[in-house]
Each structure stands twice: as structure tokens, then as C-alpha cells.
Amino acid sequence: MNHTLLSSPLQGFTDYKFRNAFNKYFGGIDTFYSPYIKLNGKLEIKKAYERDLLPENNLNLEVIPQIITNDADEFLFVANYVKKLGYNELNWNLGCPYPMVTKRGMGSGLICDFIKIEQILQKVHEQSDIIVSMKMRMGYENSEEILNVLPVLEKFPLKNIAIHARIGKQLYKGGVDLDAFQRCIENTNHKLYYNGDITSVEKFKEMQQRFPSIDHWMIGRGLIANPFLPNMIKNNTSKFPINKIEIFSQFHETIFQEYEQSLSGATHILLKMTSFWAYFSTLFSNPHKTFKKIKKAKSLKNYHQAVKEILAQEH
Ligand SMILES: Cc1cc2nc3c(=O)[nH]c(=O)nc-3n(C[C@H](O)[C@H](O)[C@H](O)COP(=O)(O)O)c2cc1C
């Protein structure tokens, strides 16, 4: 079977700078989802969202924009906006688990409201020809919630439904619920993509064996923790390339320079890079020590020294 690998959006990580550098040095991802666009009560697109989606910033990348909303007019506004930029698909986020979002009936907080979901999809399909796809969890309180939504989704020509096999209440804790994902497969005719905890080639193979009908796989955190993973999956190997550290080093240098240019001040740059290293550190033989070293660096000079030592040690 030909497997399609998709980069699951990670707000704060998978922006266009990351996507371009990732594609250049690692590859293996067929499609990138951009982190969600959220309008804060105004029909207005923030500059940062615009930069992230501009075609000239995404040359040679297959990108699908995403929205988080519980309002059909917002959906239509963003749909028109992304269409003007040349996109023909908008992905709808019904997965975000954070209380600030769910308490306002968005993200995974909207899954229980299948009537509203239907109303929004109805209006969007009546008034726009944008292709709609979904990315959702299986519920907020419990994984039965999605079973009420799936029949509603049957009424619409959705491109696909990507399911992160957790519920909102879990945040990112606890395991994925593969039995509940199996129930989703049995209760929809839509094309499902699997998402959740694909962190190694072995994990991928386990999922593939468990769900032989699935051929689209979304990888989120696993991609930052091991950027070689998509290509390793595609080449069916658990072995890293021999020049692993050189490749990582060049990739790191590229994103560092990008963020150094766009962020103001050492504190912001260090914060950004440290959040990456929370994941990157697992690529190295002593992840705990590696991350500690990065966290200890309180100046750019010390940061560079720390990175140099980490990379040299790994050689
Ligand atoms: C820091 C962070 C930011 C995220 N931002 C988004 C987002 O903007 N849109 C979205 O659909 N999911 C977002 N997610 C969820 C991931 O895309 C993904 O569904 C989830 O992490 C499970 O997949 P994984 O186990 O492969 O990481 C985010 C997750 C994290 C940890």
C-alpha cells in the first residue's frame, strides 16, 4: 500500500519557516497542515497568519490551511481568504483541547454539539465551493461523542476526517484509544486519516497492522522529536542516515537563523529554540542531559556553545 504522510499542525512549531527547512533537509512528508487560524471576533486576518500562508513562503510545499471556529460566517470569511491565496481546501479543527478554546465551544469542545456542526457545514457548503476536511478528536468528555457526529458528516462531501485518537479532556496525557478509533472506522463512509503517537517506525508498523484500511497518517510531535521519521517510514527502515548529525546540524542552523531574523531579542529566540529542543533532545543519546544543557544557556553565546558541545559529543 502506498502510504501518505501528513504533518499534523503544531502551533508554535510547524510554521512556514520550519516547513521549508524540514522539507529541504529531511523530506518524507507529502502534505503539511498549517497551524489553525483563529479570528478573535473580527473578520480580519492577522499578519502572522498571512505570512504563514503566502504562496511565496510555501514554494514547493503542499500546504492545507486550517481554521478553528464555531461560526459559519467566520468559516466562509477564511475560506474566501485562503481561496484568494490559491488554496482550494480548508481544514476544520475540532480537536484543540485547551480550556480557553473548549469553554467557548470550539475545538474538541464543539464535538458534542452535532447540531451546530451540521448547521455550520450546511451553510459553508451552500455558500462556498471550498473543499472541507476535518481534524478532530473523538470527543471532549468521552469517545462516544464522535459517534453522534459521524452520521451528520455523512451528509457532506468532506474530503476526509483526520482523527486524533484521544478525547479533549485527556489533553495530551494517557494513551490513544485504538478501540474507539476502530469504532470510527466502522461508523463512517468518509475517508479517515489516523493521528496520534506515531513516534517511531515500529509504532507506525503497529498502527498499520491494526488498521489495514488506513493509508493516510498524520504525524505531529513525532516529527519534531525525530525529523528523520517520515523518510524512515517511507524507506521501511529504523536506521538513521550515517550523516544524521550533519543533516540535523544544518537544519538547526537554518531554523535558528530564520528565527533570529524574525524574533526580537535573545530571550524570544532562546525561548523558541528551547521549545524545539524539548523535542529535539530525544534524538540524542542522553535526552535529559541534552535538554538541561540547552535550558541552562541564558545567552545566545552560551546557547551556541551548548549546541556545539551536544553535536560534537554525538559525533
Ligand atoms: C504544541 C502543540 C500545538 C498544536 N497545534 C495544533 C493546531 O494548530 N492544529 C491542530 O489541528 N492540532 C494541533 N495540535 C495537535 C497535533 O496536531 C496532533 O493532533 C497531536 O499532537 C497528536 O498527534 P501526535 O501524537 O502525532 O503529536 C497541537 C499539538 C501540540 C502539542
Side-chain angles (χ1 to χ4, degrees):
M1 199 191 279
N2 223 343
H3 291 283
T4 300
L5 300 182
L6 310 112
S7 156
S8 198
L10 299 169
Q11 199 86 236
F13 294 93
T14 62
D15 61 10
Y16 75 94
K17 293 172 182 168
F18 173 87
R19 297 194 294 266
N20 281 298
F22 180 90
N23 210 40
K24 178 170 175 193
Y25 293 104
F26 304 106
I29 284 293
D30 297 285
T31 302
F32 293 84
Y33 288 81
S34 61
Y36 62 67
I37 295 179
K38 183 161 171 281
L39 304 181
N40 289 315
K42 278 192 216 151
L43 295 184
E44 201 175 86
I45 305 283
K46 281 195 212 145
K47 278 275 171 263
Y49 293 140
E50 177 155 291
R51 268 196 302 278
D52 198 41
L53 290 176
L54 281 174
E56 61 259 40
N57 289 337
N58 291 282
L59 297 174
N60 309 319
L61 297 177
E62 185 75 38
V63 175
I64 299 172
Q66 187 187 61
I67 181 173
I68 192 164
T69 186
N70 58 7
D71 181 277
D73 292 328
E74 281 192 2
F75 200 117
L76 286 163
F77 175 78
V78 174
N80 281 336
Y81 172 77
V82 298
K83 273 183 69 179
K84 273 191 207 130
L85 291 180
Y87 298 95
N88 62 6
E89 176 180 348
L90 185 57
N91 182 262
W92 190 13
N93 178 315
L94 265 73
C96 184
Y98 293 114
M100 252 171 49
V101 163
T102 55
K103 281 191 179 144
R104 290 204 246 142
M106 283 190 272
S108 61
L110 184 57
I111 301 172
C112 61
D113 196 347
F114 58 90
I115 297 173
K116 193 161 198 175
I117 294 171
E118 177 165 12
Q119 285 166 350
I120 294 171
L121 287 173
Q122 188 69 41
K123 190 164 174 185
V124 167
H125 283 91
E126 272 164 17
Q127 297 188 19
S128 173
D129 61 356
I130 191 100
I131 295 169
V132 179
S133 60
M134 316 276 294
K135 177 169 179 287
M136 58 193 298
R137 293 199 183 209
M138 300 184 296
Y140 182 81
E141 286 292 338
N142 61 66
S143 60
E144 311 287 295
E145 288 173 28
I146 195 169
L147 299 178
N148 292 323
V149 184
L150 291 174
V152 166
L153 302 185
E154 290 294 306
K155 300 179 190 174
F156 302 97
L158 304 174
K159 182 176 162 210
N160 67 273
I161 309 166
I163 298 181
H164 174 194
R166 281 191 172 83
I167 53 170
K169 203 165 73 169
Q170 278 182 274
L171 298 173
Y172 290 92
K173 294 180 211 118
V176 283
D177 185 346
L178 300 182
D179 293 335
F181 183 76
Q182 178 64 38
R183 279 198 295 278
C184 296
I185 295 181
E186 288 157 12
N187 282 279
T188 183
N189 290 306
H190 279 305
K191 185 163 185 70
L192 294 191
Y193 295 3
Y194 175 84
N195 173 232
D197 291 1
I198 300 177
T199 49
S200 65
V201 177
E202 292 66 37
K203 267 271 166 68
F204 171 76
K205 283 186 178 164
E206 271 172 45
M207 302 293 182
Q208 195 193 342
Q209 269 165 18
R210 173 87 195 251
F211 305 116
S213 64
I214 300 294
D215 61 3
H216 281 63
W217 308 88
M218 267 184 148
I219 310 176
R221 293 162 298 170
L223 195 81
I224 320 270
N226 176 9
F228 296 93
L229 182 60
N231 249 335
M232 287 162 80
I233 291 176
K234 290 215 162 143
N235 295 324
N236 192 22
T237 178
S238 297
K239 284 207 184 89
F240 285 93
I242 35 171
N243 53 349
K244 167 183 167 186
I245 295 302
E246 281 85 357
I247 298 174
F248 176 81
S249 167
Q250 288 171 28
F251 164 74
H252 171 271
E253 190 54 31
T254 303
I255 59 168
F256 181 87
Q257 283 177 10
E258 289 281 350
Y259 292 121
E260 192 178 32
Q261 270 175 30
S262 61
L263 297 172
S264 59
T267 312
H268 287 123
I269 302 166
L270 289 174
L271 217 63
K272 184 71 158 185
M273 295 314 296
T274 305
S275 66
F276 273 108
W277 277 96
Y279 293 99
F280 290 161
S281 55
T282 62
L283 260 187
F284 296 86
S285 11
N286 191 335
H288 183 72
K289 220 170 128 188
T290 301
F291 189 43
K292 217 167 136 190
K293 216 170 185 147
I294 294 288
K295 277 198 296 188
K296 256 176 66 184
K298 298 291 176 215
S299 69
L300 291 179
K301 186 168 164 258
N302 289 350
Y303 173 82
H304 287 305
Q305 186 57 32
V307 173
K308 206 168 143 188
E309 282 170 24
I310 290 165
L311 297 179
Q313 241 164 41
E314 208 67 14
H315 260 303

